[in-house]
């Protein structure tokens, strides 16, 4: 009896163990305790700066979360997105997915500056991105998770990778899924991570096609709710107003919850890349329904998928560097 009880306790402990204590990468390990000795206050400092930024502007939570996504899908989670053009580097900030929309770089500068004062050249910009994404999610009311740490920073950027690897608002479902699968992510990751659109905004230019000429026939997208489309057209005309902003989730635009999935089921997804989750795949539709009905399940899957995404091709060991300034590589 004692032996069986001990086994039960062991299994129970495994079930409630942190979901990301250690994740094997190609070059070593990432683990949450990475900075415990070298920079004990690292996570506290990141959280403090992010909290101030989000308190000043709620939209910043979505912006910081998006930066981590856009970084990891290009060359892995290596902070290549943060590099400005210089010394043979062409910045990813000028790519189609990032130009005029990627933001929050000043917040990351503030975090890096604070960390350099606390523990010089110790915490990577790539890890700052991962921590800021988690803290932003929590501050918006979403789930928390332990962030595996130990990434190092890239010495290069890839404009072509940014243009080609990041899913675009008008991509087909199969194209989006293919881009996720190339990163080692699956359908559950695709649908769960799309749930990040429960916060944030999108520009008129990202969905105008759905309102006026979805299939090249000068007609709106038939999968878009007609009354919702009419509201959108008021501030997103056929021409002009490209940068006019619209909530991705107009029910609770600054709260991280599952209302995004409920809107998809009502045919009120803002982007084509949102709505195709319900119209082009029975498997993804089933997941959308599950998340719409069960917020806790969405939170659980989202947290696990964020850990999985954060482990895309990290630089570890002696690869890359720890930048002093997130916008430029260190002087040799």
């Amino acid at each position: 009896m004692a032996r069986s009880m001990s086994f039960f306790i062991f299994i129970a402990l495994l079930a409630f163990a942190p979901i990301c204590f250690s994740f094997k990468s190609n070059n070593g390990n990432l683990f949450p305790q990475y900075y415990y000795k070298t920079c004990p206050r690292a996570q506290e400092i990141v959280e403090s700066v992010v909290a101030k930024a989000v308190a000043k502007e709620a939209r910043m939570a979505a912006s910081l979360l998006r930066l981590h996504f856009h970084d990891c899908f290009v060359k892995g989670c290596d902070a290549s997105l943060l590099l400005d053009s210089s010394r043979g580097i062409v910045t990813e900030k000028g790519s189609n997915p990032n130009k005029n929309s990627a933001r929050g770089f000043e917040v990351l500068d503030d975090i890096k500056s604070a960390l350099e004062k606390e523990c010089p050249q110790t915490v990577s910009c790539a890890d700052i991105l991962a921590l800021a994404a988690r803290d932003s999610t929590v501050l918006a009311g979403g789930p928390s998770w332990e962030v595996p740490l130990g990434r190092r920073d890239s010495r290069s950027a890839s404009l072509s990778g940014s243009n080609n690897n990041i899913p675009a608002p008008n991509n087909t479902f199969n194209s989006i899924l293919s881009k996720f699968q190339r990163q080692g992510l699956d359908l559950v990751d695709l649908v769960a991570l799309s749930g990040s659109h429960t916060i944030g905004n999108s520009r008129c230019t990202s969905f105008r096609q759905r309102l006026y000429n979805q299939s090249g026939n000068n007609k709106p997208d038939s999968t878009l709710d007609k009354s919702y489309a009419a509201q959108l057209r008021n501030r997103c005309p056929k021409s002009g107003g490209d940068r006019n902003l619209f909530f991705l989730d107009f029910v609770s635009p600054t709260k991280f919850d599952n209302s995004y999935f409920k809107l998809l089921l009502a045919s009120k997804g803002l982007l084509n890349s949102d709505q195709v989750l319900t119209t082009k795949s029975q498997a993804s539709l089933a997941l959308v329904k599950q998340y719409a009905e069960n917020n806790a399940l969405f939170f659980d899957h989202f947290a696990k998928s964020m850990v999985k995404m954060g482990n895309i091709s990290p630089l570890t060991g002696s690869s890359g560097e720890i930048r002093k300034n997130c916008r430029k590589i260190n002087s040799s």
Side-chain angles (χ1 to χ4, degrees), residues 157-237:
S158 177
L159 179 63
S160 62
S162 187
N163 276 321
N164 296 322
N165 297 347
I166 298 172
N170 284 319
N171 278 167
T172 65
F173 174 82
N174 287 336
S175 175
I176 297 169
L177 180 59
S178 176
K179 289 180 179 180
F180 269 74
Q181 291 174 334
R182 284 203 296 268
Q183 304 296 341
L185 303 176
D186 58 26
L187 180 66
V188 173
D189 301 316
L190 165 57
V191 181
L193 293 175
S194 293
S196 62
H197 285 179
T198 182
I199 56 176
N201 305 68
S202 184
R203 296 170 300 156
C204 167
T205 186
S206 296
F207 61 87
R208 175 183 284 119
Q209 179 179 339
R210 297 191 72 202
L211 302 179
Y212 302 101
N213 190 26
Q214 175 68 359
S215 302
N217 56 3
N218 293 315
K219 293 183 179 180
D221 186 348
S222 61
T223 68
L224 182 63
D225 178 84
K226 289 183 173 56
S227 62
Y228 181 46
Q231 293 175 33
L232 295 174
R233 281 192 288 267
N234 286 333
R235 292 186 52 244
C236 186

Coordinates of all heavy atoms in Angstrom, one line a residue, residues 157-237:
A157 N 20.6 39.5 -39.5 CA 19.1 39.6 -39.7 C 18.8 39.0 -41.0 O 19.6 38.8 -41.8 CB 18.6 41.1 -39.6
S158 N 17.5 38.8 -41.3 CA 17.1 38.3 -42.6 C 15.8 39.0 -43.0 O 14.7 38.6 -42.6 CB 16.8 36.8 -42.5 OG 16.3 36.3 -43.7
L159 N 15.9 39.9 -43.9 CA 14.8 40.6 -44.4 C 13.9 39.7 -45.3 O 12.7 39.7 -45.2 CB 15.2 41.8 -45.3 CG 14.1 42.6 -46.0 CD1 13.2 43.3 -44.9 CD2 14.7 43.7 -46.9
S160 N 14.5 38.8 -46.1 CA 13.8 37.9 -46.9 C 13.0 36.9 -46.0 O 11.9 36.5 -46.3 CB 14.7 37.1 -47.9 OG 15.7 36.4 -47.2
G161 N 13.7 36.4 -44.9 CA 13.0 35.5 -44.0 C 11.8 36.1 -43.4 O 10.8 35.5 -43.2
S162 N 11.9 37.4 -43.0 CA 10.8 38.1 -42.4 C 9.6 38.3 -43.4 O 8.5 38.1 -43.1 CB 11.3 39.5 -41.9 OG 10.2 40.2 -41.2
N163 N 10.0 38.5 -44.7 CA 8.9 38.7 -45.7 C 8.3 37.4 -46.0 O 7.1 37.3 -46.4 CB 9.6 39.3 -47.0 CG 9.7 40.8 -46.9 OD1 8.8 41.5 -46.4 ND2 10.7 41.3 -47.4
N164 N 9.0 36.3 -45.9 CA 8.5 35.0 -46.4 C 8.0 34.0 -45.3 O 7.1 33.2 -45.6 CB 9.6 34.3 -47.2 CG 10.0 35.0 -48.5 OD1 9.1 35.6 -49.1 ND2 11.3 35.0 -48.8
N165 N 8.5 34.1 -44.1 CA 8.2 33.2 -43.1 C 7.0 33.5 -42.2 O 6.4 32.6 -41.6 CB 9.4 32.9 -42.2 CG 10.5 32.3 -43.0 OD1 10.4 31.8 -44.2 ND2 11.7 32.2 -42.4
I166 N 6.7 34.8 -42.0 CA 5.7 35.2 -41.1 C 4.3 35.2 -41.8 O 4.2 35.7 -42.9 CB 5.9 36.7 -40.6 CG1 7.3 36.7 -39.9 CG2 4.8 37.2 -39.7 CD1 7.7 38.1 -39.5
P167 N 3.3 34.5 -41.3 CA 2.0 34.4 -41.9 C 1.4 35.8 -42.1 O 1.6 36.7 -41.3 CB 1.2 33.6 -40.9 CG 2.2 32.8 -40.1 CD 3.4 33.7 -40.0
A168 N 0.8 36.0 -43.3 CA 0.3 37.3 -43.7 C -1.3 37.3 -43.5 O -1.9 36.2 -43.6 CB 0.6 37.6 -45.1
P169 N -1.9 38.4 -43.3 CA -3.3 38.5 -43.1 C -4.2 37.8 -44.2 O -5.2 37.3 -43.9 CB -3.6 40.0 -43.0 CG -2.3 40.6 -42.5 CD -1.3 39.7 -43.2
N170 N -3.7 37.9 -45.4 CA -4.5 37.4 -46.6 C -4.0 36.0 -47.1 O -4.4 35.5 -48.1 CB -4.5 38.3 -47.7 CG -5.4 39.5 -47.5 OD1 -6.5 39.3 -47.0 ND2 -5.0 40.7 -47.8
N171 N -3.1 35.4 -46.3 CA -2.6 34.0 -46.7 C -3.8 33.0 -46.6 O -4.7 33.2 -45.8 CB -1.5 33.5 -45.7 CG -0.1 34.0 -46.1 OD1 0.8 33.9 -45.3 ND2 0.0 34.6 -47.3
T172 N -3.7 32.0 -47.4 CA -4.7 30.9 -47.3 C -4.4 30.1 -46.0 O -3.4 30.2 -45.4 CB -4.6 29.9 -48.5 OG1 -3.3 29.3 -48.4 CG2 -4.8 30.7 -49.8
F173 N -5.4 29.3 -45.6 CA -5.2 28.5 -44.4 C -4.1 27.5 -44.6 O -3.2 27.4 -43.7 CB -6.5 27.7 -44.1 CG -6.4 26.7 -43.0 CD1 -6.5 27.1 -41.7 CD2 -6.1 25.3 -43.3 CE1 -6.3 26.1 -40.6 CE2 -5.9 24.4 -42.3 CZ -6.0 24.8 -40.9
N174 N -4.0 26.9 -45.7 CA -2.9 25.9 -46.0 C -1.5 26.6 -45.9 O -0.5 26.0 -45.4 CB -3.1 25.2 -47.3 CG -4.2 24.2 -47.2 OD1 -4.6 23.7 -46.2 ND2 -4.8 23.9 -48.4
S175 N -1.4 27.8 -46.4 CA -0.2 28.5 -46.4 C 0.2 28.9 -45.0 O 1.4 28.7 -44.6 CB -0.3 29.8 -47.2 OG 0.9 30.6 -47.1
I176 N -0.7 29.3 -44.2 CA -0.5 29.6 -42.8 C 0.0 28.4 -42.0 O 1.0 28.4 -41.3 CB -1.7 30.3 -42.1 CG1 -2.1 31.6 -42.8 CG2 -1.5 30.5 -40.6 CD1 -3.4 32.1 -42.4
L177 N -0.7 27.3 -42.2 CA -0.4 26.1 -41.5 C 1.0 25.6 -41.9 O 1.8 25.1 -41.1 CB -1.4 25.0 -41.8 CG -1.2 23.6 -41.1 CD1 -1.1 23.8 -39.6 CD2 -2.3 22.6 -41.5
S178 N 1.3 25.7 -43.2 CA 2.6 25.3 -43.7 C 3.7 26.1 -43.1 O 4.8 25.6 -42.7 CB 2.7 25.5 -45.2 OG 3.9 25.2 -45.7
K179 N 3.5 27.4 -42.9 CA 4.5 28.3 -42.3 C 4.7 27.9 -40.8 O 5.8 28.0 -40.3 CB 4.1 29.8 -42.4 CG 4.2 30.3 -43.8 CD 3.8 31.7 -44.0 CE 4.0 32.2 -45.4 NZ 3.6 33.6 -45.6
F180 N 3.7 27.5 -40.1 CA 3.8 27.0 -38.7 C 4.5 25.7 -38.7 O 5.4 25.5 -37.9 CB 2.4 26.9 -38.1 CG 1.9 28.1 -37.4 CD1 1.5 29.2 -38.1 CD2 1.9 28.2 -36.0 CE1 1.0 30.4 -37.5 CE2 1.5 29.3 -35.3 CZ 1.0 30.4 -36.1
Q181 N 4.2 24.8 -39.6 CA 4.8 23.5 -39.6 C 6.3 23.6 -39.9 O 7.1 22.7 -39.4 CB 4.1 22.6 -40.6 CG 2.7 22.2 -40.1 CD 1.9 21.4 -41.2 OE1 2.2 21.5 -42.4 NE2 0.9 20.6 -40.8
R182 N 6.7 24.5 -40.7 CA 8.1 24.7 -41.0 C 8.9 25.1 -39.8 O 10.1 24.8 -39.7 CB 8.3 25.7 -42.1 CG 8.0 25.2 -43.5 CD 8.7 26.0 -44.6 NE 8.3 27.4 -44.6 CZ 7.4 27.9 -45.4 NH1 6.7 27.0 -46.2 NH2 7.1 29.2 -45.4
Q183 N 8.2 25.6 -38.8 CA 8.9 26.0 -37.5 C 8.7 24.9 -36.5 O 9.1 25.1 -35.3 CB 8.3 27.3 -37.0 CG 8.3 28.5 -38.0 CD 9.7 28.9 -38.3 OE1 10.7 28.6 -37.6 NE2 9.9 29.6 -39.4
G184 N 8.2 23.8 -36.9 CA 8.0 22.7 -35.9 C 6.7 22.8 -35.0 O 6.6 22.2 -34.0
L185 N 5.8 23.7 -35.5 CA 4.6 23.9 -34.8 C 3.4 23.2 -35.5 O 3.5 23.0 -36.7 CB 4.3 25.4 -34.7 CG 5.4 26.3 -34.0 CD1 5.0 27.8 -34.0 CD2 5.6 25.8 -32.5
D186 N 2.4 22.9 -34.8 CA 1.3 22.1 -35.4 C 0.0 22.9 -35.4 O 0.0 24.1 -35.0 CB 1.1 20.7 -34.7 CG 0.9 20.9 -33.2 OD1 0.3 21.9 -32.7 OD2 1.2 19.9 -32.4
L187 N -1.1 22.2 -35.7 CA -2.4 22.9 -35.8 C -2.9 23.4 -34.5 O -3.4 24.5 -34.4 CB -3.5 21.9 -36.3 CG -4.9 22.4 -36.5 CD1 -4.9 23.5 -37.6 CD2 -5.9 21.3 -36.8
V188 N -2.7 22.7 -33.4 CA -3.0 23.2 -32.1 C -2.3 24.5 -31.8 O -2.9 25.5 -31.3 CB -2.8 22.2 -31.0 CG1 -3.0 22.8 -29.6 CG2 -3.7 21.0 -31.2
D189 N -1.0 24.5 -32.1 CA -0.2 25.8 -31.9 C -0.7 26.9 -32.7 O -0.8 28.0 -32.3 CB 1.3 25.5 -32.2 CG 1.9 24.4 -31.4 OD1 1.7 24.4 -30.2 OD2 2.6 23.5 -32.0
L190 N -1.1 26.6 -34.0 CA -1.6 27.6 -34.9 C -2.9 28.3 -34.3 O -3.0 29.5 -34.2 CB -1.9 27.0 -36.2 CG -2.8 27.9 -37.2 CD1 -2.3 29.2 -37.4 CD2 -3.0 27.1 -38.5
V191 N -3.8 27.5 -33.9 CA -5.1 28.0 -33.4 C -4.9 28.7 -32.0 O -5.5 29.8 -31.8 CB -6.2 26.9 -33.3 CG1 -7.5 27.5 -32.8 CG2 -6.4 26.2 -34.7
A192 N -4.2 28.0 -31.2 CA -4.0 28.6 -29.8 C -3.2 30.0 -29.9 O -3.6 31.0 -29.3 CB -3.2 27.6 -29.0
L193 N -2.2 30.0 -30.7 CA -1.4 31.2 -30.8 C -2.1 32.3 -31.6 O -1.9 33.5 -31.3 CB 0.0 31.0 -31.5 CG 0.9 30.1 -30.7 CD1 2.2 29.8 -31.5 CD2 1.3 30.8 -29.4
S194 N -3.0 31.9 -32.5 CA -3.9 32.9 -33.1 C -4.8 33.7 -32.1 O -5.2 34.8 -32.3 CB -4.8 32.3 -34.2 OG -4.0 31.8 -35.3
G195 N -5.0 33.0 -31.0 CA -5.8 33.6 -29.9 C -5.1 34.8 -29.3 O -5.8 35.6 -28.6
S196 N -3.9 35.1 -29.6 CA -3.3 36.3 -29.2 C -3.9 37.5 -29.8 O -3.8 38.7 -29.3 CB -1.8 36.3 -29.5 OG -1.6 36.3 -30.9
H197 N -4.7 37.3 -30.8 CA -5.5 38.4 -31.4 C -6.7 38.8 -30.6 O -7.5 39.6 -31.0 CB -5.9 38.0 -32.8 CG -4.8 38.1 -33.8 ND1 -5.0 37.7 -35.2 CD2 -3.5 38.4 -33.7 CE1 -3.8 37.9 -35.8 NE2 -2.9 38.3 -34.9
T198 N -6.8 38.2 -29.4 CA -7.8 38.7 -28.5 C -7.4 40.1 -27.9 O -8.3 40.8 -27.3 CB -7.9 37.7 -27.3 OG1 -9.0 38.2 -26.4 CG2 -6.7 37.6 -26.5
I199 N -6.2 40.5 -28.1 CA -5.8 41.9 -27.8 C -5.1 42.5 -29.0 O -4.6 41.8 -29.9 CB -4.8 41.9 -26.6 CG1 -3.6 41.0 -26.8 CG2 -5.6 41.5 -25.3 CD1 -2.5 41.1 -25.7
G200 N -5.0 43.8 -29.0 CA -4.3 44.5 -30.1 C -5.2 45.0 -31.2 O -6.4 44.9 -31.2
N201 N -4.5 45.6 -32.2 CA -5.2 46.3 -33.3 C -4.6 45.8 -34.6 O -3.5 45.3 -34.7 CB -5.0 47.8 -33.2 CG -5.4 48.4 -31.9 OD1 -4.8 48.2 -30.8 ND2 -6.5 49.2 -31.9
S202 N -5.3 46.1 -35.7 CA -4.8 45.9 -37.0 C -5.2 47.1 -37.9 O -6.2 47.8 -37.7 CB -5.5 44.6 -37.6 OG -4.9 44.4 -38.9
R203 N -4.4 47.3 -38.9 CA -4.6 48.5 -39.8 C -5.6 48.1 -40.9 O -5.7 47.0 -41.3 CB -3.3 48.9 -40.4 CG -2.2 49.4 -39.4 CD -0.9 49.6 -40.1 NE -0.4 48.4 -40.6 CZ 0.5 48.3 -41.6 NH1 0.9 49.4 -42.3 NH2 0.9 47.1 -42.1
C204 N -6.3 49.1 -41.4 CA -7.2 49.0 -42.5 C -6.6 48.2 -43.7 O -7.2 47.4 -44.3 CB -7.7 50.4 -42.9 SG -8.6 50.4 -44.5
T205 N -5.4 48.6 -44.0 CA -4.7 47.9 -45.2 C -4.6 46.4 -45.1 O -4.4 45.7 -46.0 CB -3.3 48.6 -45.4 OG1 -2.8 48.1 -46.6 CG2 -2.4 48.3 -44.2
S206 N -4.6 45.9 -43.8 CA -4.5 44.5 -43.6 C -5.7 43.7 -43.9 O -5.7 42.4 -44.0 CB -4.0 44.2 -42.1 OG -2.8 44.8 -41.9
F207 N -6.9 44.3 -44.0 CA -8.1 43.6 -44.2 C -9.0 44.2 -45.3 O -10.1 43.7 -45.5 CB -8.9 43.3 -42.9 CG -9.3 44.6 -42.2 CD1 -10.5 45.2 -42.6 CD2 -8.6 45.2 -41.3 CE1 -11.0 46.4 -42.0 CE2 -9.0 46.4 -40.6 CZ -10.2 46.9 -41.0
R208 N -8.6 45.3 -45.9 CA -9.4 46.0 -46.9 C -9.9 45.1 -48.0 O -11.1 45.2 -48.4 CB -8.6 47.2 -47.5 CG -9.4 47.9 -48.6 CD -8.6 48.9 -49.3 NE -8.6 50.1 -48.5 CZ -7.4 50.6 -48.0 NH1 -6.3 50.1 -48.3 NH2 -7.4 51.7 -47.3
Q209 N -9.1 44.2 -48.4 CA -9.5 43.2 -49.5 C -10.8 42.5 -49.1 O -11.6 42.2 -50.0 CB -8.3 42.2 -49.7 CG -8.6 41.2 -50.8 CD -7.4 40.3 -51.0 OE1 -6.3 40.6 -50.7 NE2 -7.7 39.1 -51.6
R210 N -10.9 42.1 -47.9 CA -12.1 41.4 -47.4 C -13.4 42.2 -47.6 O -14.5 41.7 -47.8 CB -12.0 40.9 -46.0 CG -10.9 40.0 -45.7 CD -11.0 39.4 -44.3 NE -12.1 38.5 -44.2 CZ -12.8 38.2 -43.1 NH1 -12.5 38.7 -41.9 NH2 -13.8 37.3 -43.1
L211 N -13.2 43.5 -47.5 CA -14.4 44.4 -47.6 C -14.9 44.7 -49.0 O -16.1 45.0 -49.2 CB -14.1 45.7 -46.8 CG -13.7 45.6 -45.4 CD1 -13.4 47.0 -44.8 CD2 -14.8 44.9 -44.6
Y212 N -14.0 44.6 -50.0 CA -14.3 45.1 -51.3 C -14.0 44.2 -52.4 O -14.6 44.2 -53.5 CB -13.6 46.5 -51.5 CG -13.9 47.5 -50.5 CD1 -13.0 47.8 -49.5 CD2 -15.1 48.2 -50.6 CE1 -13.3 48.8 -48.5 CE2 -15.4 49.2 -49.7 CZ -14.5 49.5 -48.6 OH -14.8 50.4 -47.7
N213 N -13.0 43.3 -52.3 CA -12.6 42.5 -53.4 C -11.8 41.3 -53.0 O -10.7 41.0 -53.4 CB -11.7 43.4 -54.3 CG -11.4 42.7 -55.7 OD1 -12.2 41.9 -56.1 ND2 -10.2 43.1 -56.3
Q214 N -12.5 40.4 -52.2 CA -11.8 39.3 -51.6 C -11.3 38.3 -52.7 O -10.2 37.8 -52.5 CB -12.8 38.6 -50.7 CG -12.2 37.3 -50.1 CD -11.1 37.5 -49.1 OE1 -10.6 38.6 -48.9 NE2 -10.6 36.4 -48.5
S215 N -12.1 38.0 -53.7 CA -11.7 37.0 -54.6 C -11.4 37.5 -56.0 O -11.5 36.8 -57.0 CB -12.8 35.9 -54.7 OG -13.0 35.4 -53.4
G216 N -11.2 38.8 -56.1 CA -10.9 39.4 -57.4 C -12.2 39.7 -58.3 O -12.1 39.9 -59.5
N217 N -13.3 39.6 -57.6 CA -14.6 39.9 -58.3 C -15.3 41.1 -57.8 O -16.5 41.3 -58.0 CB -15.5 38.6 -58.1 CG -15.8 38.3 -56.6 OD1 -15.3 39.1 -55.7 ND2 -16.5 37.3 -56.3
N218 N -14.6 42.0 -57.1 CA -15.2 43.2 -56.6 C -16.3 43.0 -55.6 O -17.2 43.8 -55.5 CB -15.6 44.2 -57.8 CG -14.4 44.7 -58.6 OD1 -13.4 45.1 -58.0 ND2 -14.6 44.6 -59.9
K219 N -16.3 41.9 -54.9 CA -17.3 41.6 -53.9 C -16.6 41.3 -52.6 O -15.5 40.8 -52.5 CB -18.1 40.4 -54.4 CG -19.0 40.6 -55.6 CD -19.9 39.4 -55.9 CE -20.7 39.7 -57.1 NZ -21.6 38.5 -57.4
P220 N -17.3 41.6 -51.5 CA -16.8 41.4 -50.2 C -16.6 39.9 -49.9 O -17.3 39.0 -50.5 CB -17.7 42.1 -49.2 CG -19.0 42.1 -49.9 CD -18.7 42.2 -51.4
D221 N -15.9 39.6 -48.8 CA -15.7 38.2 -48.4 C -17.1 37.7 -47.9 O -17.7 38.2 -47.0 CB -14.7 38.1 -47.3 CG -14.3 36.7 -46.8 OD1 -15.0 35.8 -47.2 OD2 -13.3 36.6 -46.1
S222 N -17.5 36.6 -48.5 CA -18.8 36.0 -48.1 C -18.8 35.4 -46.7 O -19.9 35.2 -46.2 CB -19.3 35.0 -49.1 OG -18.3 33.9 -49.2
T223 N -17.6 35.2 -46.2 CA -17.6 34.6 -44.8 C -17.6 35.6 -43.7 O -17.5 35.3 -42.5 CB -16.3 33.7 -44.7 OG1 -15.2 34.5 -44.7 CG2 -16.2 32.7 -45.8
L224 N -17.6 36.9 -44.1 CA -17.6 38.0 -43.2 C -19.1 38.5 -42.9 O -19.8 38.7 -43.8 CB -16.8 39.2 -43.7 CG -16.6 40.4 -42.8 CD1 -15.9 40.1 -41.5 CD2 -15.9 41.5 -43.6
D225 N -19.4 38.6 -41.6 CA -20.8 39.0 -41.2 C -21.1 40.4 -41.9 O -20.3 41.3 -41.8 CB -20.8 39.2 -39.7 CG -22.2 39.7 -39.2 OD1 -23.1 38.9 -39.1 OD2 -22.3 40.9 -39.0
K226 N -22.2 40.5 -42.5 CA -22.6 41.7 -43.3 C -22.7 42.9 -42.5 O -22.2 44.0 -42.9 CB -23.9 41.4 -44.1 CG -23.7 40.4 -45.2 CD -25.1 40.3 -46.0 CE -24.9 39.4 -47.3 NZ -24.4 38.1 -46.9
S227 N -23.3 42.9 -41.4 CA -23.4 44.1 -40.5 C -22.0 44.5 -40.0 O -21.8 45.7 -39.9 CB -24.4 43.8 -39.4 OG -23.9 42.8 -38.5
Y228 N -21.2 43.6 -39.7 CA -19.8 43.9 -39.2 C -19.0 44.5 -40.3 O -18.3 45.5 -40.1 CB -19.2 42.6 -38.7 CG -17.8 42.8 -38.1 CD1 -17.5 43.9 -37.3 CD2 -16.8 41.9 -38.5 CE1 -16.2 44.0 -36.8 CE2 -15.5 42.0 -38.0 CZ -15.2 43.1 -37.1 OH -13.9 43.2 -36.6
A229 N -19.2 44.0 -41.5 CA -18.5 44.5 -42.7 C -18.9 45.9 -43.0 O -18.1 46.8 -43.3 CB -18.8 43.6 -43.9
A230 N -20.2 46.2 -42.8 CA -20.7 47.6 -43.0 C -20.0 48.6 -42.0 O -19.7 49.7 -42.4 CB -22.2 47.6 -42.9
Q231 N -19.9 48.1 -40.8 CA -19.3 49.0 -39.7 C -17.8 49.2 -40.1 O -17.3 50.4 -40.0 CB -19.3 48.3 -38.4 CG -20.7 48.1 -37.8 CD -20.7 47.3 -36.5 OE1 -19.8 47.4 -35.7 NE2 -21.8 46.6 -36.3
L232 N -17.1 48.2 -40.6 CA -15.7 48.4 -40.9 C -15.5 49.3 -42.1 O -14.6 50.1 -42.1 CB -15.1 47.0 -41.3 CG -15.1 46.0 -40.1 CD1 -14.6 44.6 -40.6 CD2 -14.1 46.5 -39.0
R233 N -16.4 49.2 -43.1 CA -16.3 50.1 -44.2 C -16.4 51.6 -43.9 O -15.9 52.4 -44.6 CB -17.3 49.7 -45.3 CG -17.0 48.5 -46.1 CD -17.9 48.3 -47.3 NE -19.2 47.9 -46.9 CZ -19.6 46.6 -46.9 NH1 -18.7 45.6 -47.2 NH2 -20.8 46.3 -46.5
N234 N -17.1 51.9 -42.8 CA -17.2 53.3 -42.4 C -15.8 54.0 -42.2 O -15.7 55.2 -42.4 CB -18.0 53.4 -41.1 CG -19.5 53.2 -41.3 OD1 -20.0 53.4 -42.4 ND2 -20.2 52.7 -40.3
R235 N -14.9 53.2 -41.7 CA -13.5 53.8 -41.4 C -12.4 53.1 -42.2 O -11.3 53.4 -42.0 CB -13.2 53.6 -39.9 CG -14.1 54.5 -39.0 CD -13.7 54.5 -37.6 NE -12.3 54.7 -37.4 CZ -11.4 53.8 -36.9 NH1 -11.8 52.6 -36.6 NH2 -10.1 54.1 -36.8
C236 N -12.8 52.2 -43.1 CA -11.8 51.6 -44.0 C -12.4 51.7 -45.4 O -12.9 50.7 -45.9 CB -11.6 50.2 -43.6 SG -10.2 49.4 -44.5
P237 N -12.2 52.8 -46.1 CA -12.7 53.0 -47.4 C -11.9 52.3 -48.5 O -10.8 51.7 -48.1 CB -12.6 54.5 -47.6 CG -11.4 54.9 -46.7 CD -11.5 54.0 -45.5

